[in-house]
Amino acid sequence: MSAPVVSAELERELRSIAVRYAGAADRRDAATFAELFTEDGAVLVRFAARPQPVEIRGRTAVSGIATSLRRYERTFHVLGQSSYTVEDGANSAAGETYCVAHHVLDGEDRVMYIRYLDTYRRTEAGWQIVQREANVDFQSVLPVLG
């Protein structure tokens, strides 16, 4: 049995969460990070080369991602394709979004190729992330010119 088809409107709503997350990362905006997640929301970061994920749990801890990105001179998150499914009578959803994330430090661009696997819940505040699994499939380091 296949998952229910996601309406264009719901797809836009869920995609906007990924867009806001990327913008919040690049602006180091902790308040936006916090509002994108449920109170018990979590981020799991999985690097292909490491066996154990890094887990950040709870809205306050997740909002700290913005602060941790300040170690970079700049970041630039570019979103690619995404797909979504709905579950539980359209009160929960799952999504996958591709991202190329640039992290500039000391004349190098540390590029991460990421697949975000998200679980969402419809709340009084609208759709929020319950869990974001950031799968860093591979990385590259490039010189920064200019």
Side-chain angles (χ1 to χ4, degrees):
M1 178 178 230
S2 63
V5 175
V6 176
S7 70
E9 180 180 344
L10 179 55
E11 188 171 333
R12 277 191 304 276
E13 288 178 47
L14 296 174
R15 174 71 178 192
S16 75
I17 294 171
V19 170
R20 291 176 63 210
Y21 182 98
D26 293 339
R27 288 188 299 281
R28 317 308 194 255
D29 181 351
T32 296
F33 266 100
E35 68 187 34
L36 294 174
F37 286 82
T38 59
E39 189 64 42
D40 61 344
V43 175
L44 301 173
V45 182
R46 296 181 189 279
F47 290 90
R50 295 185 197 156
Q52 292 297 323
V54 174
E55 182 175 346
I56 304 163
R57 186 163 297 281
R59 183 180 284 156
T60 301
V62 168
S63 70
I65 292 171
T67 304
S68 72
L69 290 171
R70 289 184 183 145
R71 71 178 174 264
Y72 299 105
E73 297 160 19
R74 288 175 295 213
T75 60
F76 194 91
H77 290 70
V78 181
L79 300 178
Q81 69 269 27
S82 56
S83 61
Y84 305 95
T85 58
V86 293
E87 303 157 357
D88 186 30
N91 288 318
S92 64
E96 179 179 48
T97 304
Y98 283 65
C99 177
V100 177
H102 300 267
H103 302 78
V104 175
L105 182 65
D106 297 332
E108 293 181 335
D109 180 4
R110 295 147 192 219
V111 186
M112 295 181 183
Y113 302 87
I114 304 169
R115 285 178 302 110
Y116 294 120
L117 300 177
D118 296 329
T119 305
Y120 308 95
R121 182 182 314 138
R122 189 188 308 265
T123 69
E124 290 181 10
W127 285 99
Q128 293 180 304
I129 301 171
V130 175
Q131 180 171 294
R132 166 161 275 195
E133 190 175 309
N135 292 291
V136 181
D137 290 334
F138 60 99
Q139 301 177 68
S140 60
V141 178
L142 305 169
V144 174
L145 305 174

